Amino acid sequence: MAVSRIFVAFILLSACIIICTLLYVHTFIRTTFHTRSLSTPKISVVLAPDLLESKSYENNGHVVNANREARKYGATCSCKGKTLLSTASKERRRVELEDWERLHAVSNEPLVRCPALSPFRFIGNGITVQPLESTKLYGLSLSGAIPNDSLNVSKIQLTSRSSLGVLYINHEAHRLNIVGNKTAELTITVNGDVETINEVLSTIRYESTVYSVESRDIISVSWMSFHVSIHVHIKRQERPFLYDPGESGNINAKVTVVAKTFERYPAVKRLISSIHKFYPGITILIADDSEFPEKIKAANVKHYIMPFAEGWFAGRNLLVSQIRTKYFLWVDDDFVFTNGTVLERFVEKFEHPNVTVDHVGGTFGDEFGRAVSKSDCYGCRIIKFQYGDEEGDCLHIRSERKYHKVTEFPQCFWADGTTNFFMARTSTVRKSGFDPFFERSGHSEYFIDSLGKLRVMGCTDVNVMHKRDRSSAKYNKMRRTNPSAEKIKHVSFKNNLKCI
């Protein structure tokens, strides 16, 4: 029995010795290989530049947006209907699209490929500098794991690939040789340990030399057989446009009500009267392109007369240009305020610390302020986008659809479009604007133009009564003066679409 126990113990001890030996050998080989791959000039693991920076994603030194490349290299889409554009129109659109892409290329985030097994530590994307000013190449350093006795003389090369700036260094440390200081190609030769090299790298600066409101440069950094790219965003600093809510900070100082009217004076006067009932001090702006304008005289109302039949979206542009408050409420002239038209509920969506939104749509209710729709996001729609081909891209507009619920507001959902009763942030809508081509009708077209510009949600906790007014024969006759075919042509050209 004792012999058996000794034999088992011997077997277990032998197994432990063998396992420990194998682990030691494995660790030794791995460490030796890793050290040699970093310290030997003839590195056995070579990271080829074409693996780090795919040429298919670059154009004259500028990184092209990946989604755009997907469309160029075979992505396509399909949708119902056919484009109505002539061959000549398609060619004009192609030229305009190329010009638009050129102007907007710098706003696309560049592709930043981070090399594996690189001794460099660096910030690939996120360094910003104002035009004609300088900045450090923050975060550029070598790993402290590199053995000092393997460095010897190190040569580090940096190049401004777009030649939009120069590279320079003020550090004049011992054993430091600099070639190309204050040029687009800088070579630094330094003899020292990792700490010394990193001290040198920490003082390298990039200076913009070409004035541009917004552009991008790529700094190529090379050491031995390793190559990395640092993207520098040259951008003029924008200043904030702030709206003063006044000492009271009440709704009247934050919101302006705007409406466009055409040949419907009884309706617009009814609207103004209902607004005064619930918000007597709020400012109301009315744009009017009726043929024979009537004066609208009421407290806090500004009445803007336009040329006859100038158009609905032209009126919207006029109104938005005159707003002096942070937010505005859009209403049609045949809407009526009720107990359900609680504007403060709209405002709280914009001012919530954890929510960022530009456009909040409401729903419709009855004369008592009760919502008449059972939908949890009435009038909401989503717009699906697909890259296409030389014939254009595709949009699929899906009515009565939404994305997911807004966590902070259970009555709201994220969407791409809402009803025509909404509150919006003045500054962002001004950037999007309204296309004056749409004279009498246009709703989805506004949301198509706003894609990627406005953050939209639809809510059911605020409503207004829609009391339709078709009493004006002139209004009824001219309501739809944008022929459907002409609208499709215009949208297809402007938004580079093959069909919608």
Side-chain angles (χ1 to χ4, degrees):
M1 192 69 174
V3 174
S4 299
R5 290 179 178 176
I6 293 172
F7 179 78
V8 171
F10 176 79
I11 294 297
L12 292 175
L13 179 61
S14 300
C16 290
I17 293 173
I18 292 172
I19 292 172
C20 291
T21 302
L22 290 175
L23 288 173
Y24 175 82
V25 171
H26 172 74
T27 304
F28 176 81
I29 293 174
R30 184 178 179 182
T31 304
T32 303
F33 175 80
H34 181 67
T35 303
R36 287 179 180 176
S37 68
L38 289 175
S39 62
T40 307
K42 296 181 180 179
I43 299 177
S44 58
V45 180
V46 178
L47 301 180
D50 60 339
L51 292 178
L52 301 181
E53 302 164 4
S54 173
K55 299 301 180 184
S56 64
Y57 290 96
E58 297 180 12
N59 181 15
N60 296 326
H62 294 282
V63 178
V64 181
N65 180 266
N67 290 333
R68 184 62 185 156
E69 287 301 311
R71 189 176 78 82
K72 283 185 176 180
Y73 293 102
T76 186
C77 67
S78 61
C79 52
K80 296 179 180 179
K82 296 181 178 179
T83 179
L84 301 177
L85 297 180
S86 64
T87 301
S89 294
K90 291 178 182 177
E91 176 59 21
R92 294 197 307 274
R93 184 180 68 174
R94 183 191 65 78
V95 173
E96 292 301 315
L97 177 62
E98 288 181 355
D99 188 56
W100 182 89
E101 289 178 333
R102 177 183 62 83
L103 293 175
H104 289 78
V106 293
S107 64
N108 295 326
E109 285 303 310
L111 297 174
V112 180
R113 297 193 172 199
C114 299
L117 298 177
S118 172
F120 279 112
R121 291 180 297 198
F122 64 102
I123 297 175
N125 181 33
I127 296 177
T128 302
V129 62
Q130 292 204 59
L132 306 183
E133 294 190 12
S134 68
T135 182
K136 285 185 177 182
L137 296 183
Y138 294 101
L140 180 60
S141 64
L142 290 177
S143 172
I146 301 173
N148 289 326
D149 56 2
S150 64
L151 289 175
N152 298 321
V153 177
S154 297
K155 180 182 289 186
I156 301 173
Q157 295 176 309
L158 300 95
T159 304
S160 166
R161 290 172 53 186
S162 300
S163 298
L164 297 176
V166 297
L167 297 149
Y168 68 96
I169 186 171
N170 292 324
H171 191 74
E172 298 295 342
H174 182 57
R175 295 178 296 179
L176 182 64
N177 182 32
I178 302 173
V179 177
N181 214 15
K182 281 282 185 178
T183 71
E185 296 185 5
L186 174 65
T187 301
I188 304 170
T189 304
V190 57
N191 186 1
D193 54 19
V194 173
E195 184 177 346
T196 301
I197 294 175
N198 285 341
E199 182 181 351
V200 173
L201 293 178
S202 69
T203 63
I204 298 175
R205 299 187 69 87
Y206 172 87
E207 181 178 343
S208 163
T209 56
V210 179
Y211 182 81
S212 173
V213 172
E214 184 173 18
S215 56
R216 295 181 186 271
D217 203 347
I218 302 174
I219 311 303
S220 295
V221 185
S222 301
W223 176 68
M224 299 173 73
S225 294
F226 294 100
H227 309 271
V228 298
S229 295
I230 299 175
H231 294 257
V232 178
H233 192 180
I234 305 166
K235 181 175 175 58
R236 192 76 173 95
Q237 182 62 46
E238 296 183 30
R239 302 310 305 143
F241 191 124
L242 307 180
Y243 293 85
D244 185 359
E247 294 182 2
S248 64
N250 62 26
I251 194 75
N252 297 334
K254 294 180 178 181
V255 179
T256 300
V257 180
V258 299
K260 163 72 177 56
T261 192
F262 175 73
E263 303 293 346
R264 297 203 294 191
Y265 288 107
V268 72
K269 290 178 181 178
R270 181 184 63 202
L271 167 66
I272 294 172
S273 177
S274 71
I275 295 173
H276 282 162
K277 179 180 178 180
F278 294 95
Y279 296 96
I282 204 165
T283 299
I284 306 170
L285 307 183
I286 305 294
D288 182 0
D289 61 347
S290 302
E291 185 172 12
F292 303 105
E294 299 178 11
K295 289 185 178 181
I296 299 178
K297 293 184 178 181
N300 306 315
V301 174
K302 295 182 180 180
H303 184 201
Y304 298 94
I305 305 299
M306 303 169 63
F308 174 57
E310 185 68 10
W312 185 29
F313 274 23
R316 279 184 161 186
N317 280 329
L318 169 60
L319 292 168
V320 171
S321 73
Q322 298 304 306
I323 294 170
R324 302 184 183 186
T325 54
K326 190 174 183 178
Y327 315 111
F328 71 90
L329 179 79
W330 175 265
V331 290
D332 285 352
D333 58 0
D334 59 352
F335 287 178
V336 177
F337 275 36
T338 68
N339 289 325
T341 316
V342 185
L343 303 188
E344 289 81 0
R345 292 176 184 168
F346 274 146
V347 173
E348 72 175 349
K349 312 293 192 298
F350 292 96
E351 297 187 344
H352 193 284
N354 298 327
V355 176
T356 303
V357 65
D358 302 299
H359 172 118
V360 182
T363 187
F364 297 111
D366 59 19
E367 59 184 322
F368 302 105
R370 299 172 301 196
V372 295
S373 172
K374 301 299 182 182
S375 171
D376 53 7
C377 195
Y378 180 74
C380 290
R381 65 202 70 193
I382 61 176
I383 305 175
K384 293 293 185 180
F385 170 81
Q386 291 178 307
Y387 281 110
D389 48 30
E390 65 277 1
E391 292 294 320
D393 303 319
C394 297
L395 288 181
H396 302 274
I397 302 175
R398 299 177 180 177
S399 300
E400 297 304 317
R401 299 284 188 90
K402 72 275 186 185
Y403 295 112
H404 58 83
K405 186 176 292 186
V406 181
T407 304
E408 293 78 5
F409 299 105
Q411 310 91 342
C412 304
F413 286 82
W414 294 109
D416 292 321
T418 68
T419 64
N420 209 31
F421 168 58
F422 62 85
M423 185 175 289
R425 195 181 300 272
T426 305
S427 57
T428 49
V429 171
R430 279 178 177 165
K431 294 179 181 180
S432 177
F434 301 91
D435 186 349
F437 176 86
F438 303 103
E439 297 172 349
R440 297 288 160 248
S441 63
H443 188 62
S444 295
E445 294 81 4
Y446 158 65
F447 292 108
I448 291 174
D449 289 344
S450 300
L451 281 178
K453 302 174 185 175
L454 301 183
R455 291 152 291 201
V456 177
M457 70 167 67
C459 303
T460 57
D461 57 342
V462 186
N463 66 72
V464 70
M465 184 168 64
H466 189 188
K467 199 168 184 179
R468 299 182 185 275
D469 185 343
R470 301 292 171 83
S471 60
S472 170
K474 189 181 297 185
Y475 171 88
N476 295 333
K477 179 181 178 180
M478 298 187 65
R479 186 171 186 268
R480 298 189 181 277
T481 56
N482 289 122
S484 177
E486 293 303 314
K487 288 177 63 175
I488 294 176
K489 284 183 180 180
H490 181 76
V491 174
S492 297
F493 189 107
K494 182 181 69 171
N495 300 118
N496 190 46
L497 300 175
K498 65 165 63 175
C499 51
I500 54 176

